[in-house]
Amino acid sequence: MASDDQKRRAAEAALAYVPEGCVLGVGTGSTVNHFIAALGRRRQPIAAAVSSSEASTRLLKAAGIDVIELNTAGDLEVYVDGADEATRHLQLIKGGGGALTREKIVAAASRRFVCIIDASKLVDVLGRFPLPVEVVPMARSYVARQLVRLGGQPVLREGGATDNGNVILDVHNLRIVDPKTLETEINQIAGVVANGLFARRGADLLLVGRDSGVETLTA
Ligand code: 5RP
């Protein structure tokens, strides 16, 4: 069972990895919302944030934090984000909040990815959480057929377009025995913008909020 206290604990622990005055990458989701709140309260300010979603941008600005474009920021020192599932090898499924493409871009541009989760997200094998795949709308049916060939059951996510104007297919029942290979395979389907496997560029540090404290896992 996900616990809000565990999320908050992991989020607050991530502050220790955020240097004062840095330009910081910030992800999306309820765990990150705790992180943004803690960042806003902190006495050592950051220079600015690069945000992975419109939702996080609104919260960052409300917390008094400047938000700048990745194109002007260049490479980032640190990226802090949550995940839907994580292994002890620091490979992830992300995209439950629909921000996977921008999250993947900001993670790729960052030297260190600090991932914050509650204990319910830690798994031995990825795939119980349906894998989100962001797709150009005109390719939806074609991509869905290819995902069925890979053994999955894609379901169109309700609730409108992503921040990039695309749709998301949530792929159920994939057997993710080799996350890196599957990540590449899905990326090669024409019409796929990004998929929620963060295996080729996983996290560098995983902070797992527990009732008793925070467990730190490194790559
Ligand atoms: C958004 C994400 C989130 O990091 C992921 O869905 C976890 O969310 P939460 O912290 O609310 O459990 O990938 O696209």
Side-chain angles (χ1 to χ4, degrees):
M1 223 9 186
S3 143
D4 205 50
D5 270 350
Q6 292 181 356
K7 291 183 182 195
R8 187 181 40 74
R9 244 173 237 136
E12 289 174 355
L15 289 178
Y17 301 91
V18 177
E20 184 174 358
C22 75
V23 178
L24 177 70
V26 178
T28 300
S30 56
T31 316
V32 166
N33 293 351
H34 283 298
F35 173 73
I36 294 172
L39 194 62
R41 290 192 299 267
R42 194 169 86 148
R43 281 170 192 272
Q44 303 86 3
I46 59 169
V50 171
S51 171
S52 68
S53 66
E54 305 298 333
S56 289
T57 298
R58 278 193 295 276
L59 285 178
L60 285 160
K61 287 182 175 169
I65 297 165
D66 276 347
V67 178
I68 62 171
E69 295 293 323
L70 181 63
N71 286 324
T72 51
D75 283 348
L76 308 176
E77 215 164 310
V78 184
Y79 176 54
V80 177
D81 197 1
D84 299 297
E85 279 187 350
T87 67
R88 289 185 176 274
H89 300 294
L90 277 52
Q91 296 179 319
L92 316 171
I93 286 182
K94 291 185 45 51
L100 62 151
T101 299
R102 295 190 189 187
E103 290 172 343
K104 219 167 221 195
I105 294 166
V106 183
S110 301
R111 277 186 282 279
R112 192 175 209 196
F113 178 1
V114 177
C115 183
I116 49 178
I117 59 168
D118 63 87
S120 73
K121 310 272 186 66
L122 197 59
V123 297
D124 291 329
V125 180
L126 297 172
R128 198 180 48 204
F129 190 91
L131 179 68
V133 179
E134 183 162 350
V135 177
V136 173
M138 72 161 284
R140 188 193 69 220
S141 299
Y142 168 74
V143 172
R145 290 196 296 279
Q146 308 316 305
L147 292 168
V148 168
R149 286 200 184 129
L150 290 176
Q153 290 175 305
V155 175
L156 179 64
R157 191 181 294 187
E158 303 292 337
T162 66
D163 285 350
N164 312 307
N166 298 311
V167 296
I168 290 184
L169 296 172
D170 289 307
V171 191
H172 296 249
N173 299 329
L174 280 172
R175 281 191 68 237
I176 309 185
V177 285
D178 182 350
K180 285 186 181 172
T181 302
L182 185 63
E183 182 178 357
T184 304
E185 235 173 336
I186 294 176
N187 282 343
Q188 282 169 347
I189 302 171
V192 167
V193 179
N195 74 79
L197 275 170
F198 283 57
R200 306 204 78 85
R201 201 280 180 256
D204 300 301
L205 193 79
L206 185 62
L207 300 175
V208 186
R210 297 189 178 279
D211 291 340
S212 53
V214 176
E215 183 184 2
T216 304
L217 299 170
T218 49

